Amino acid sequence: MFGIGGGEIFLIIVIALMLFGSDKIPDIARTLGKGMAQLKNATNDIKSEIQKSAEINELKDLNPMNQIDFTADINKEIDKAKEDIEDMTGPIKRQM
């Protein structure tokens, strides 16, 4: 798994227990899981929006004068995902 052996994983777990304590690690893992789920949902939303836009506008038939700038919508979704992740990881950063 990622080129990490059993001994290295054990060492990482021991260090995490020493730094955060056994009562904080489940909260940290839960928060990271929620953040990753939100990131995955945001990515899926971006993909679906691009597909919907492509179907509606039939990008294959458009000439360069009628092309739409998709970067604004994509940047908006990315910024929304970043804010959600920062909201989720805020308590973790403050605890460290």
Side-chain angles (χ1 to χ4, degrees), residues 4-16:
I4 298 176
E8 294 165 337
I9 291 174
F10 180 74
L11 181 64
I12 291 170
I13 291 172
V14 169
I15 291 173

Side-chain angles (χ1 to χ4, degrees), residues 16-17 19-28 30 95:
L17 280 171
L19 288 175
F20 302 112
S22 61
D23 57 335
K24 300 287 183 192
I25 290 179
D27 294 333
I28 293 170
R30 188 176 304 113
Q95 290 175 0

Side-chain angles (χ1 to χ4, degrees), residues 8-54:
E8 294 165 337
I9 291 174
F10 180 74
L11 181 64
I12 291 170
I13 291 172
V14 169
I15 291 173
L17 280 171
M18 290 171 50
L19 288 175
F20 302 112
S22 61
D23 57 335
K24 300 287 183 192
I25 290 179
D27 294 333
I28 293 170
R30 188 176 304 113
T31 303
L32 288 175
K34 286 180 182 178
M36 291 177 70
Q38 286 183 347
L39 184 62
K40 183 178 177 182
N41 289 338
T43 303
N44 289 336
D45 289 343
I46 291 170
K47 288 179 184 177
S48 67
E49 285 295 323
I50 291 172
Q51 288 175 350
K52 287 178 186 176
S53 296

Side-chain angles (χ1 to χ4, degrees), residues 45-92:
D45 289 343
I46 291 170
K47 288 179 184 177
S48 67
E49 285 295 323
I50 291 172
Q51 288 175 350
K52 287 178 186 176
S53 296
E55 290 172 1
I56 291 172
N57 296 320
E58 297 176 0
L59 291 177
K60 294 177 184 176
D61 297 332
L62 288 177
N63 60 26
M65 300 302 278
N66 293 334
Q67 288 183 351
I68 299 171
D69 183 22
F70 293 108
T71 58
D73 293 333
I74 293 171
N75 286 333
K76 188 186 310 178
E77 289 293 328
I78 291 172
D79 290 338
K80 180 182 170 188
K82 284 181 184 177
E83 289 174 4
D84 291 340
I85 291 172
E86 287 177 4
D87 290 341
M88 296 299 292
T89 58
I92 294 173

